[in-house]
Amino acid sequence: MTEQRNLLRGETGDWEVVIGLEVHAQVTSNTKLFSGSSAAYGAGPNENVSLVDAAMPGMLPVINQFCVEQAIKTGLGLNAKIHLWSRFDRKNYFYPDLPQGYQISQYKDPIVGEGEIEVELDAERTIKVGIERLHLEQDAGKSIHDLAPKESYVDLNRSGVALMEIVSKPEMRSAEEASAYFGKLRTIVRYLGTCDGNMDQGSMRADVNVSVCRAGNYAKFVETGDFSHLGTRTETKNVNSIRFVRQVVDYEARRQIQVLEAGGTIDQETRLFDVKTGETRTMRSKEDAHDYRYFPDPDLLPLEFSQEFVDRIAASLPELPDAKKHRFVEEYGLSSYDAAVLVADKDKATYFEGVASGRDGKLASSWVTTELFGMLNKEGLEITESPISAEQLGGLIDLISDETISGKIAKQVFELMLDEDKGKAPKDIVEARGLKQVTDTGALEAAADKIIAANPEQVAKVKDKPKALGWFVGQVMKETGGKANPQAVNAILKKKLGVE
Amino acid sequence: MADLTTKTIAQLRDGMRAKEFSAAEVFDQYFTRAENSRALNAFVRFNVELAWDQVKASDERIAKGEARPLEGIPMGIKDLFCTEGLETNAASRILYGFRPPYESTVSQNLLDDGAVFMGKLNLDEFAMGSSNETSAHGPAINPWRREGEETKLTPGGSSGGSAAAVAARLCAGATATDTGGSIRQPAALTATVGLKPTYGRCSRWGIVAFASSLDQAGPIAKDVRDSAILLNSMAGYDPKDSTSIDRPVPDYEQAIAGGVKGMKIGIPKEYRLDGMSQEISDLWTKSAKLLEEQGAEIVEVSLPLTKYALPVYYIVAPAEASSNLARYDGVKYGVRVEDDNIHEMYKKTRGEGFGAEVKRRLMIGTYVLSAGYYDAYYLRAQRVRKKIAMEMAAAFEQVDLLLTPSSPSAAFGLGEKSADPIEMYLNDVFTVTANLAGVPGISIPGGLDAQGLPLGLQLIAPAFGEETMIRGAAALEEAIGFNAQPTEWWR
Amino acid sequence: MSLDESTVKKVANLARIAIADEEVPHLMNELNGILGWIEQLQEVDIEGVEAMTSSVEVALPMRDDVLADGPTGGGQPQAVTKNAPKSDDHFFVVPKVVE
Ligand SMILES: [Mg+2]
Ligand SMILES: [Zn+2]
């Protein structure tokens, strides 16, 4: 069923948008997919290029086992079918960043088949997105166009770097869904460690396929599997941020609706996203771009491995975000959305778990997401750079839970751990600075008596307005330097002032 | 001093070790002869300076008793093998000036065994051709002539330079490659021995690729023993080539002595083509007899799909070539024809850099892989290929070896067959099946035809049956006792 | 199946081979001759036969993920670019590419 939120209003009626993503994720390998040169980012021109990558005559590809393992790992993380037999094909086209004149990719028989992942949109909505396939392929080099007026400079450092191309089904129905899916993929590969997810360096980028159709047609497509119910799609290449994915979908959907409503047609074409304007535009003319003449690479044999090989990899998999999310809900009593926010980043989840383990989960979650994340945000720090360790924060929560300190004092201790008392255990800080909660009734009663005696008008007021009790509590807390146990103070004051 | 160029590699090896002559003397004689034989256009480039250093080193090793298997043996290298620092252009204008910063595995194996490289040998452009006429350097010339004629004949192709050089004694042995018959057909046309090993036996690393699933390196030599000696050095597993087979290399030279007693040798009846010359037919029959006399059992076998091998080849090889040769685009090496537009630059560079036959095959290969034709041509060809390979495998359940002619005719005149591509393609009709099936084949001299031109005989073995094949070839060689030499008109 | 002149031009373009217009008819005839000869493969019954892409029947060998020395490793921009018709500062230089 088409939900209302997915409809786009046009001049001539309602439209729906359909999105599929082809995400290229660079494998975190030392060397390239088919050669022993470095896959590192940021070297000098053609520094990380072997004679294989430069397509010297007679050079031959030999596959990197680590990359194969990472593809399998990622496939398992996508809940997808691992193919024990797959094959590499050549995709033939001429381009200066493609030294061989073909890209070694997997066309007919990819290493990973269909799968499905959960994508959280917000506190209420979680959708499922189908994965069509994942295959291994070579990255291309890079042309630089601004070093000379009439020439392009070609650097092949990226040429041959291992990519996993993860192809979704055309199941996303809004810019929000597409960007959330992209973000979720990033979370998964980072959990697995198969890709560093570094979008600035191009380690992860999406080709965004967008089409629009009249309201109701998507349902017909789902029912029949017949693509003719959908509109012609455009493919916007190499979109390298979650926000840009959203912009591309918004822009393309609007553009396509305008074209169609003006009586035009959409070309099946490749487009580029302009970060500055937020618009897309037609890429290189593609007269023959679609006749890639794929055929099995005769320099390589079929990629075959046993189920045991896959099982060994499966056994080494870390806990994946969805499993972790469900466990956080169960184990720590978090809401599904709070859990999703925490697991979105593996390091954050690990930190949280360090704090929450054996403690009150909700309290831990609130301290981690509010105080700690707030502080990190303000300081521009990553969770891995946090000046307060999970152990320290856990210790602080222990002091709150056993009523050694109040929440307010805890915030004070938190600040101290950032600054003067950096690296110290909260327990020691509290001890050294005498911040322990005062629970000694005698001392609290004395303080209460003193305040009551000094403020007769307030005492009169509280008889009619019991809410004014709070003022007395505040005064007593002040008197005790904030160290008084607020519950105890409350009880003593109530008794002394005769408030129910 | 005796003419050392008449000696085989085995004789040179033994003679140098016995201090009968030095590596320097051997090299000097070969080199002088090669320099005086430029009319054959077999060598396209000499390796003089480097070679002399190698020769000196060889003599020092021999003196110290540290000679390696091929110490001081002067070899010619087909210009399809990349040689470090020495121009390698595959007889194509598009690669002129290319000096590889690496050495092919096979040539490195030879160097490691002490071989001395005299220079690079002519071939058909990118190994595409059966007459050497597609070479950008002009064709190598066959040292053999028809009796009483001066017509220049082809040494065959694509390893025509290798065959001509060995036949004319310009080097002791040569490397060659065989994609559809390019070792065996030129060997047959020049009365030399050409051995194509099992696919995967020799590394393809560093050999300019033509058709990756078919290309295989092998030797061209004066006799069967020399071809076995060279194969010992050339063969071996190479982790840099994913299609190389990890399997120990037996001592092929040892295999020579065994004889054919008790062997079953098949005669594929479909190889008796319509219009086959009586001479070739008779030679074939006679050689089967000779093997029988040595104790082999001759069996008729049927390989009815043989006739489809060439059409399959002319889809598969151009398809792979169209992709393998895409890297010649005027960007990384070789020659560029400038244009402001990159795609025009590609087209001009490739249009001018490739010769007619290469362009024809690239066009065919591109077409059979293109949208709408892939299934009908390429995929169908690969399925027929499978059937052919299965048929061949079934034949080897019955027999140890197959005996066939090597080529359908003796050497022909330059220009005689170049008008019709298909007529030229038919040269490989007896050899191409072994490439499709990936099995080894060897061509040895069978005799001379009425015009005094050599004819070759081929033995084909199952995969990794090189030892049996060498055994059979040595026995047949001895029984035939071929010892004719071309008259030296070219010096 | 046989090629017409426009297909010949299209294929030449795909293969990035410049051919002069006057060469086209001759080339077309040659290609059609070869394709016509190849046509005999249609006679072969290939029902149930799988395609053969290699005569080697082993699985793809894999290498370890370690940096290589020599031709299959990096760190040699000089060797990579020294044969190039045009290069500058270890970049390959080509006519301007317009995306
Ligand atoms: Mg894409
Ligand atoms: Zn891709």
Side-chain angles (χ1 to χ4, degrees):
Chain A
M1 275 310 293
T2 305
E3 289 174 53
Q4 200 59 34
R5 69 192 155 86
N6 287 333
L7 292 181
L8 296 169
R9 189 127 309 164
E11 299 278 319
T12 59
D14 288 345
W15 298 83
E16 294 179 80
V17 62
V18 180
I19 306 133
L21 257 58
E22 294 161 24
V23 173
H24 287 97
Q26 180 183 330
V27 179
T28 51
S29 55
N30 297 321
T31 62
K32 295 184 179 179
L33 183 54
F34 293 111
S35 83
S37 55
S38 169
Y41 177 82
N46 289 311
E47 188 67 46
N48 290 347
V49 176
S50 71
L51 305 184
V52 180
D53 311 322
M56 293 277 169
M59 293 297 97
L60 296 171
V62 182
I63 199 164
N64 183 335
Q65 177 163 341
F66 180 81
C67 296
V68 172
E69 290 165 354
Q70 303 317 297
I72 295 170
K73 222 180 211 187
T74 308
L76 293 169
L78 300 173
N79 309 303
K81 180 158 175 43
I82 308 300
H83 294 154
L84 301 182
W85 190 99
S86 69
R87 178 151 74 183
F88 288 94
D89 297 288
R90 292 185 183 177
K91 177 181 182 179
N92 295 281
Y93 64 95
F94 287 88
Y95 214 64
D97 62 15
L98 190 72
Q100 298 168 127
Y102 55 84
Q103 177 196 34
I104 306 179
S105 182
Q106 296 190 294
Y107 180 56
K108 281 219 178 93
D109 300 290
I111 182 167
V112 176
E114 292 189 327
E116 186 178 71
I117 61 170
E118 285 179 20
V119 177
E120 297 79 14
L121 300 176
D122 57 34
E124 281 81 44
R125 295 174 302 155
T126 294
I127 58 167
K128 289 195 166 164
V129 176
I131 304 293
E132 181 67 39
R133 59 187 280 161
L134 174 154
H135 65 255
L136 278 168
E137 64 182 23
Q138 299 179 299
D139 203 352
K142 199 172 138 197
S143 303
I144 301 159
H145 308 301
D146 54 6
L147 290 178
K150 295 175 81 175
E151 284 157 331
S152 294
Y153 279 45
V154 181
D155 173 15
L156 299 178
N157 280 346
R158 289 199 75 95
S159 170
V161 164
L163 300 178
M164 299 178 285
E165 180 170 332
I166 303 165
V167 182
S168 80
K169 300 204 176 216
E171 292 183 351
M172 285 157 283
R173 315 298 318 289
S174 66
E176 183 195 17
E177 291 186 4
S179 55
Y181 164 80
F182 190 35
K184 185 61 184 278
L185 272 191
R186 181 169 184 271
T187 299
I188 293 172
V189 294
R190 282 170 54 86
Y191 258 75
L192 294 165
T194 56
C195 169
D196 66 19
N198 192 330
M199 300 201 192
D200 295 339
Q201 295 177 358
S203 305
M204 213 176 157
R205 50 201 202 255
D207 295 345
V208 185
N209 290 283
V210 178
S211 69
V212 296
C213 58
R214 281 295 181 186
N217 277 6
Y218 184 77
K220 289 182 198 160
F221 160 71
V222 172
E223 205 176 293
T224 60
D226 179 355
F227 278 85
S228 70
H229 293 296
L230 302 182
T232 305
R233 70 188 156 89
T234 61
E235 177 177 1
T236 304
K237 288 267 187 200
N238 290 333
V239 182
N240 68 342
S241 92
I242 293 174
R243 185 162 57 91
F244 295 160
V245 166
R246 181 182 286 261
Q247 286 180 16
V248 165
V249 176
D250 281 338
Y251 180 84
E252 264 303 294
R254 218 172 328 118
R255 185 189 69 84
Q256 291 182 17
I257 291 170
Q258 270 167 21
V259 169
L260 292 169
E261 293 197 323
T265 53
I266 302 299
D267 293 331
Q268 183 171 344
E269 61 174 0
T270 302
R271 297 178 72 85
L272 281 178
F273 178 63
D274 187 328
V275 176
K276 289 188 205 92
T277 61
E279 295 175 356
T280 69
R281 62 180 164 83
T282 303
M283 210 172 144
R284 60 181 127 116
S285 96
K286 39 115 186 103
E287 344 154 42
D288 53 25
H290 293 302
D291 201 342
Y292 291 125
R293 289 158 287 134
Y294 285 98
F295 76 108
D297 191 326
D299 285 333
L300 295 162
L301 302 168
L303 179 59
E304 290 178 80
F305 40 78
S306 61
Q307 184 59 45
E308 290 72 59
F309 185 74
V310 177
D311 292 344
R312 266 202 304 281
I313 293 169
S316 76
L317 281 192
E319 183 180 34
L320 287 164
D322 286 344
K324 201 183 275 286
K325 180 183 78 180
H326 294 137
R327 187 166 61 78
F328 279 10
V329 170
E330 301 251 307
E331 233 174 280
Y332 300 110
L334 305 188
S335 76
S336 178
Y337 187 72
D338 285 350
V341 169
L342 279 171
V343 304
D345 181 321
K346 192 183 183 182
D347 293 325
K348 285 180 176 169
T350 306
Y351 188 99
F352 166 75
E353 200 137 44
V355 176
S357 182
R359 301 191 176 96
D360 176 345
K362 278 191 178 146
L363 187 59
S365 156
S366 131
W367 271 90
V368 169
T369 54
T370 322
E371 298 304 323
L372 189 87
F373 290 177
M375 176 274 293
L376 292 175
N377 241 340
K378 210 174 79 193
E379 304 292 325
L381 295 174
E382 295 294 324
I383 184 75
T384 46
E385 304 165 319
S386 172
I388 297 175
S389 71
E391 197 190 347
Q392 282 178 293
L393 191 55
L396 188 64
I397 287 167
D398 288 340
L399 295 177
I400 301 169
S401 299
D402 66 12
E403 302 193 345
T404 306
I405 56 172
S406 65
K408 197 165 169 200
I409 292 292
K411 279 178 193 168
Q412 200 181 322
V413 176
F414 186 88
E415 293 298 323
L416 286 167
M417 285 193 291
L418 285 177
D419 198 17
E420 292 153 64
D421 292 329
K422 210 174 197 148
K424 289 187 188 158
K427 200 174 149 210
D428 298 339
I429 299 171
V430 167
E431 194 71 47
R433 295 187 180 262
L435 296 174
K436 252 194 180 160
Q437 204 156 241
V438 181
T439 39
D440 168 6
T441 322
L444 292 181
E445 284 196 7
D449 288 342
K450 190 178 160 196
I451 301 293
I452 289 168
N455 296 284
E457 358 33 298
Q458 294 289 344
V459 174
K461 222 190 238 170
V462 84
K463 304 272 185 214
D464 312 323
K465 260 179 88 188
K467 272 190 183 165
L469 186 72
W471 182 87
F472 282 94
V473 176
Q475 292 301 308
V476 175
M477 293 301 286
K478 207 172 179 182
E479 182 70 25
T480 56
K483 291 178 288 183
N485 180 330
Q487 279 88 48
V489 173
N490 223 15
I492 288 166
L493 283 169
K494 270 184 180 167
K495 207 170 103 198
K496 289 195 187 289
L497 294 168
V499 180
E500 269 316 294
Chain B
M1 169 154 283
D3 184 352
L4 299 174
T5 67
T6 61
K7 295 191 182 301
T8 63
I9 291 173
Q11 289 164 344
L12 290 172
R13 176 187 65 190
D14 300 344
M16 282 188 272
R17 286 181 194 195
K19 315 276 161 55
E20 289 165 22
F21 40 80
S22 67
E25 285 165 327
V26 172
F27 184 78
D28 188 51
Q29 285 201 13
Y30 268 110
F31 191 69
T32 306
R33 190 173 167 86
E35 271 201 311
N36 292 333
S37 302
R38 286 175 195 262
L40 295 179
N41 200 23
F43 275 99
V44 292
R45 216 164 297 114
F46 287 117
N47 182 34
V48 197
E49 281 161 55
L50 273 170
W52 270 115
D53 289 344
Q54 282 179 272
V55 171
K56 272 182 228 151
S58 284
D59 271 329
E60 282 164 26
R61 273 182 173 265
I62 293 167
K64 283 191 275 183
E66 292 170 3
R68 295 163 293 180
L70 293 172
E71 199 67 64
I73 301 295
M75 300 262 316
I77 305 297
K78 186 181 186 179
D79 203 22
L80 204 62
F81 292 79
C82 288
T83 41
E84 189 169 358
L86 182 61
E87 179 165 343
T88 302
N89 63 38
S92 181
R93 277 192 303 277
I94 210 161
L95 257 184
Y96 273 4
F98 175 60
R99 292 157 82 94
Y102 50 94
E103 184 77 37
S104 84
T105 299
V106 163
S107 52
Q108 187 64 54
N109 288 345
L110 292 167
L111 289 173
D112 291 346
D113 278 348
V116 178
F117 292 171
M118 296 176 61
K120 304 301 284 286
L121 294 165
N122 207 350
L123 68 154
D124 279 293
E125 182 178 9
F126 283 107
M128 296 183 197
S130 301
S131 66
N132 232 277
E133 289 165 292
T134 72
S135 168
H137 314 295
I141 311 296
N142 197 328
W144 293 85
R145 280 177 167 182
R146 294 179 187 126
E147 234 155 74
E149 272 189 37
E150 293 190 359
T151 313
K152 285 184 177 171
L153 304 182
T154 173
S158 66
S159 309
S162 305
V166 173
R169 295 185 277 117
L170 314 187
C171 54
T175 66
T177 61
D178 192 316
T179 306
S182 282
I183 291 177
R184 292 157 290 157
Q185 182 257 11
L189 270 47
T190 56
T192 52
V193 172
L195 189 159
K196 180 203 100 75
T198 306
Y199 181 84
R201 179 73 290 188
C202 291
S203 170
R204 294 185 296 113
W205 193 87
I207 302 174
V208 176
F210 162 17
S212 309
S213 79
L214 303 164
D215 294 346
Q216 184 60 207
I220 289 183
K222 286 174 183 155
D223 64 8
V224 174
R225 176 184 293 271
D226 280 6
S227 74
I229 291 171
L230 290 177
L231 182 61
N232 271 340
S233 178
M234 294 167 76
Y237 175 61
D238 181 6
K240 297 203 290 295
D241 174 0
S242 300
T243 62
S244 165
I245 304 286
D246 192 358
R247 193 182 163 114
V249 178
D251 186 340
Y252 294 120
E253 194 182 354
Q254 286 264 300
I256 286 172
V260 291
K261 195 160 186 192
M263 249 189 225
K264 272 192 183 172
I265 295 176
I267 307 288
K269 63 178 182 194
E270 290 82 5
Y271 277 54
R272 208 168 289 276
L273 303 175
D274 297 343
M276 175 184 270
S277 82
Q278 195 56 48
E279 281 177 305
I280 290 180
S281 178
D282 289 348
L283 175 70
W284 192 9
T285 313
K286 196 188 96 190
S287 56
K289 267 248 159 57
L290 289 173
L291 287 168
E292 206 166 22
E293 283 164 18
Q294 309 268 314
E297 185 188 341
I298 303 296
V299 186
E300 190 182 72
V301 296
S302 176
L303 297 168
L305 292 170
T306 298
K307 63 184 254 202
Y308 299 109
L310 266 182
V312 165
Y313 175 82
Y314 276 95
I315 291 175
V316 173
E320 292 182 9
S322 73
S323 180
N324 282 337
L325 271 62
R327 64 189 58 201
Y328 305 105
D329 60 2
V331 175
K332 293 136 337 229
Y333 34 72
V335 173
R336 172 190 296 184
V337 181
E338 293 289 352
D339 192 282
D340 291 345
N341 177 292
I342 181 114
H343 290 287
E344 290 305 313
M345 183 279 273
Y346 290 152
K347 287 185 205 171
K348 286 184 180 172
T349 296
R350 293 164 60 82
E352 294 182 28
F354 291 135
E357 179 62 22
V358 170
K359 286 192 270 192
R360 207 151 39 220
R361 295 199 197 186
L362 295 184
M363 295 275 290
I364 292 281
T366 302
Y367 179 69
V368 299
L369 288 176
S370 66
Y373 303 100
Y374 180 88
D375 287 3
Y377 287 115
Y378 180 77
L379 196 61
R380 171 167 282 267
Q382 294 286 44
R383 293 171 73 183
V384 178
R385 180 181 177 185
K386 178 80 190 176
K387 272 192 102 159
I388 291 171
M390 282 160 50
E391 184 178 276
M392 180 79 86
F396 284 121
E397 309 244 302
Q398 302 171 53
V399 298
D400 299 300
L401 294 172
L402 295 172
L403 173 70
T404 80
S406 302
S407 80
S409 71
F412 47 91
L414 296 173
E416 277 177 17
K417 290 190 182 179
S418 41
D420 178 4
I422 296 169
E423 200 191 338
M424 187 66 86
Y425 297 168
L426 290 171
N427 267 291
D428 289 335
V429 66
F430 297 130
T431 48
V432 72
T433 317
N435 299 82
L436 294 180
V439 300
I442 190 169
S443 176
I444 64 166
L448 299 179
D449 70 2
Q451 294 178 295
L453 293 179
L455 294 172
L457 290 164
Q458 176 182 228
L459 286 169
I460 303 173
F464 294 99
E466 277 86 353
E467 288 170 283
T468 316
M469 185 174 85
I470 287 166
R471 194 139 57 91
L476 186 56
E477 179 183 53
E478 200 184 311
I480 292 171
F482 182 90
N483 59 6
Q485 288 285 321
T487 49
E488 295 189 8
W489 55 266
W490 65 89
R491 293 186 74 198
Chain C
M1 282 177 266
S2 74
L3 305 183
D4 56 15
E5 293 196 12
S6 85
T7 311
V8 171
K9 287 182 187 170
K10 210 187 93 195
V11 171
N13 185 55
L14 255 183
R16 292 294 187 275
I17 295 172
I19 44 170
D21 282 348
E22 57 270 25
E23 288 177 66
V24 173
H26 176 66
L27 189 56
M28 180 185 75
N29 287 335
E30 279 184 342
L31 297 179
N32 280 330
I34 297 167
L35 290 169
W37 171 67
I38 285 169
E39 205 65 22
Q40 57 181 299
L41 291 183
Q42 304 301 325
E43 306 161 12
V44 185
D45 177 14
I46 51 169
E47 188 62 39
V49 183
E50 52 180 323
M52 176 174 175
T53 49
S54 173
S55 57
V56 175
E57 283 174 346
V58 299
L60 186 64
M62 303 196 225
R63 51 165 246 277
D64 291 339
D65 183 29
V66 288
L67 292 171
D69 294 326
T72 61
Q76 46 181 338
Q78 182 74 30
V80 165
T81 51
K82 73 167 186 183
N83 277 291
K86 196 159 188 193
S87 67
D88 183 12
D89 189 25
H90 295 164
F91 285 102
F92 295 106
V93 178
V94 300
K96 186 141 236 147
V97 182
V98 194
E99 287 195 323

